[in-house]
Amino acid sequence: MNKGTKMPSIVVIFGGTGDLTHRKLMPSLYNLFHQRQLPDSFAIVSVGRKDFSDEEYREQVRISIEKFTRFKLTEDVWSIMRERIYYVRFNFSDDGGYVKLKNILEEMDDKYNTNGNRTYYLAVSPEYFAVIVDKLKHHDMALSEKSIRRLVIEKPFGKDLSSAEELNDKITRVFTEDNVYRIDHYLGKEMIQNIMVLRFSNPIFGHLWNNNYIDNVQITSSETVGVENRGGYYENAGALKDMIQNHLFQLLTLIAMEAPVNLDTKSIRDEKIKILKAIKHVDEDFVRHNMVRGQYGPGEIGINKVNGYRQEEKVAPDSDVETFVAMKVFVDNFRWAGVPFYLRTGKRMKNKTTEIVIQFKELPKILYARENNLVPNLLIIKVQPMEGVIFQFNAKKPGTGNEIVPVKMDFCQNCQMENNSPEAYERLISDVLKGDSTLFTRWDEVEYSWRFVDKIISIWKNSKEQFPNYVSGTWGPEASQELLSRDNRQWWEI
């Protein structure tokens, strides 16, 4: 089957009653169905441990779609889709359940002409990944010479390098790397997909995209919410594992990568992995001088008073888990030598945003720059919640004087259709059905990012921070600002 053609398939969702399925997967499948972007030979089977009939489950899915879909649910579309949704109840470790599921899927192959093709989506806790894959193999449901079987896995992929390697070994003994789709939903966002288009289809950017013209790059992903009901998970993760190891490193590779020889999946991924390999070595000196970690304390978000991290549910009262990380890294290659990449992520921050700021070098102190305190040229790529690109440059302020002020050219991708901007999962699910793994994470990307993070965590274990060290509703600990100010730079807040 050619990449780009959606294969007939039964999508089997393990974790069919979970939050991810109801908030993201089912609404995205409905949106694709609404746009006629699913194959005619298609069905959905959800697997869960709760006791529901098909009709009861379909009604729950309908409620979720009405609440979370970007297209209004219409009866003509829903009436067709609902008949293709089924629910099977069993425990993920129960062999009898897999026997039952296999029989149901084979019957549905005849009904929907799906040719034995399967897309297994593991929307479950990571401890079930290996269990489910092993059971699929044991019951001869994973591999087939006559059909295509794909596996989709949500993050986190391991909790460190060792566990990631063990999990990958178990999975790739059953499914080939080409049929394993490790989802990072950030890569499905519209503006993330636009980064390569901006870089490689516009000569104005292509010629300036190097250390001759760029002073620094800043990547920020901030949230105003705390850990909410994820305290148990976060106690074993923290911001470094939860955000830096996957999301922010993915953004860094897209910004820094060289132009691929063509736009096929392997060529793009090969260029991304070169960037991860080129990041400077991590040691105690690096962590001491180039990293800041923090934990939020009580404060205010808007008009609401909020608890500190240590007061959250399922969080230890003396927890030393970080909810904020800032770092400065260098990519040691000819294009980026000497250009710092500043990354930061945190919870309970001042604003919710994911954005990339490219700061261009300042002019020498001659002509207008001699007498005016000119603001640097900035290119801002806004990923969420608003999507778009801003270019900031200097211009004369209207009037009789000669004052120079920064002005902005602003392209907003979703200002007019904020609620109709395609959901990341729509694109990713569509790509799985087409066999296009470009926006998914290859194993060696996971491996190199874990190598980097593991070294940092090992060093952190030998030192303690005074937590909490920033007030909720701010931009993190003061040391984060100092990380840039000692380089005569600042975090840009656009």
Side-chain angles (χ1 to χ4, degrees):
M1 180 175 295
N2 294 327
K3 188 171 77 172
T5 302
K6 293 187 177 69
M7 71 173 184
S9 180
I10 301 174
V11 175
V12 183
I13 303 175
F14 287 90
T17 61
D19 191 58
L20 174 64
T21 299
H22 281 285
R23 292 176 64 93
K24 298 294 184 181
L25 304 186
M26 287 300 186
S28 294
L29 286 164
Y30 175 83
N31 291 337
L32 292 170
F33 200 87
H34 177 89
Q35 300 170 90
R36 298 182 179 179
Q37 291 186 10
L38 291 177
D40 293 333
S41 301
F42 180 81
I44 304 166
V45 177
S46 283
V47 178
R49 292 173 291 184
K50 296 180 181 179
D51 190 9
F52 298 122
S53 66
D54 286 342
E55 288 304 315
E56 289 172 332
Y57 183 72
R58 289 166 178 167
E59 184 57 32
Q60 292 180 3
V61 170
R62 178 194 175 109
I63 293 170
S64 298
I65 291 173
E66 288 178 326
K67 186 174 182 180
F68 298 112
T69 187
R70 67 188 179 94
F71 292 115
K72 183 179 179 181
L73 186 144
T74 59
E75 290 301 329
D76 57 335
V77 175
W78 170 243
S79 63
I80 299 173
M81 180 178 172
R82 73 181 300 278
E83 297 303 320
R84 294 170 179 257
I85 299 174
Y86 299 85
Y87 181 78
V88 181
R89 175 180 178 252
F90 66 87
N91 189 295
F92 302 140
S93 60
D94 177 22
D95 285 293
Y98 290 89
V99 173
K100 178 181 178 182
L101 176 63
K102 183 178 182 180
N103 291 332
I104 291 173
L105 295 178
E106 289 175 350
E107 291 174 3
M108 293 175 67
D109 282 330
D110 295 332
K111 182 175 182 179
Y112 294 106
N113 297 316
T114 49
N115 302 327
N117 297 330
R118 309 278 186 265
T119 300
Y120 296 112
Y121 199 120
L122 305 192
V124 297
S125 298
E127 61 264 27
Y128 293 112
F129 290 171
V131 173
I132 293 171
V133 169
D134 182 66
K135 294 297 183 182
L136 291 174
K137 177 183 179 182
H138 180 73
H139 292 280
D140 196 27
M141 300 170 68
L143 298 178
S144 172
E145 294 181 358
K146 299 180 180 179
S147 57
I148 300 172
R149 307 285 168 90
R150 293 171 179 155
L151 183 74
V152 186
I153 305 177
E154 284 280 338
K155 81 173 186 75
F157 196 82
K159 58 184 179 181
D160 52 26
L161 178 58
S162 176
S163 61
E165 288 176 329
E166 181 180 357
L167 176 59
N168 187 67
D169 182 59
K170 291 179 179 179
I171 289 173
T172 53
R173 287 180 183 178
V174 180
F175 292 87
T176 64
E177 175 67 26
D178 289 343
N179 285 316
V180 176
Y181 293 73
R182 302 174 189 86
I183 273 195
D184 182 341
H185 70 273
Y186 264 47
L187 296 184
K189 294 183 180 296
E190 282 293 309
M191 282 312 301
I192 299 301
Q193 298 168 48
N194 228 330
I195 289 175
M196 287 208 309
V197 177
L198 286 170
R199 288 193 56 194
F200 303 131
S201 69
N202 295 289
I204 189 174
F205 296 137
H207 293 313
L208 302 177
W209 214 265
N210 56 63
N211 55 7
N212 291 323
Y213 299 99
I214 291 177
D215 179 83
N216 71 87
V217 179
Q218 301 177 17
I219 303 175
T220 295
S221 181
S222 61
E223 299 178 280
T224 55
V225 298
V227 295
E228 297 181 308
N229 61 352
R230 299 173 71 226
Y233 161 76
Y234 217 79
E235 280 288 88
N236 294 302
L240 185 66
K241 293 181 180 181
D242 190 49
M243 293 295 294
I244 299 288
Q245 183 267 334
N246 40 69
H247 299 329
L248 269 65
F249 268 17
Q250 287 292 332
L251 299 187
L252 186 154
T253 59
L254 289 170
I255 288 294
M257 64 183 276
E258 296 293 326
V261 293
N262 56 51
L263 295 177
D264 69 86
T265 299
K266 183 179 184 303
S267 297
I268 293 172
R269 286 172 156 184
D270 285 349
E271 295 304 329
K272 289 169 65 180
I273 197 65
K274 289 177 184 178
I275 297 302
L276 293 176
K277 290 180 178 180
I279 294 176
K280 275 190 174 180
H281 177 70
V282 175
D283 55 21
E284 290 188 17
D285 186 67
F286 169 86
V287 172
R288 186 182 307 112
H289 294 102
N290 297 298
M291 292 200 64
V292 175
R293 54 179 164 154
Q295 185 188 94
Y296 65 83
E300 294 184 0
I301 302 292
I303 61 173
N304 300 315
K305 293 185 180 298
V306 295
N307 290 329
Y309 176 72
R310 292 179 176 182
Q311 286 78 53
E312 303 282 18
E313 185 179 352
K314 297 182 180 179
V315 171
D318 59 349
S319 175
D320 61 356
V321 171
E322 80 285 351
T323 62
F324 174 96
V325 173
M327 66 170 65
K328 176 174 68 173
V329 299
F330 290 91
V331 176
D332 274 356
N333 62 19
F334 280 105
R335 179 182 293 273
W336 295 110
V339 177
F341 287 74
Y342 298 101
L343 283 62
R344 67 173 171 174
T345 183
K347 292 187 175 296
R348 289 281 189 231
M349 304 283 278
K350 186 176 181 179
N351 292 320
K352 173 183 173 62
T353 186
T354 299
E355 64 185 26
I356 302 160
V357 180
I358 313 294
Q359 178 180 330
F360 292 93
K361 289 185 175 181
E362 297 183 0
L363 289 170
K365 296 298 182 181
I366 56 176
L367 297 178
Y368 294 110
R370 178 184 292 128
E371 298 179 359
N372 294 273
N373 187 22
L374 300 183
V375 176
N377 294 155
L378 303 175
L379 180 68
I380 303 103
I381 302 171
K382 302 187 78 67
V383 177
Q384 67 173 11
M386 302 308 294
E387 304 166 359
V389 180
I390 299 171
F391 181 58
Q392 178 176 287
F393 58 99
N394 296 305
K396 179 183 174 297
K397 184 177 181 179
T400 58
N402 291 315
E403 183 180 356
I404 297 177
V405 295
V407 296
K408 298 181 179 71
M409 296 175 65
D410 188 351
F411 160 63
C412 183
Q413 182 164 272
N414 65 340
C415 287
Q416 302 301 319
M417 57 170 191
E418 183 173 355
N419 293 328
N420 257 343
S421 185
E423 164 63 44
Y425 279 93
E426 285 179 47
R427 172 63 188 267
L428 296 173
I429 292 172
S430 177
D431 282 358
V432 173
L433 295 175
K434 291 186 294 186
D436 185 350
S437 55
T438 305
L439 297 178
F440 297 81
T441 308
R442 196 168 68 186
W443 162 245
D444 52 0
E445 295 178 63
V446 176
E447 179 184 10
Y448 274 94
S449 60
W450 269 127
R451 288 186 188 280
F452 185 89
V453 166
D454 273 6
K455 291 177 182 178
I456 295 170
I457 292 173
S458 177
I459 294 168
W460 275 353
K461 287 180 179 179
N462 297 320
S463 63
K464 293 290 183 181
E465 290 283 350
Q466 186 64 40
F467 286 154
N469 62 3
Y470 70 96
V471 177
S472 290
T474 67
W475 280 111
E478 188 62 31
S480 170
Q481 307 299 326
E482 296 170 358
L483 181 66
L484 274 71
S485 64
R486 65 173 179 251
D487 295 336
N488 294 316
R489 298 185 176 100
Q490 67 182 59
W491 290 108
W492 293 103
E493 299 172 22
I494 309 299

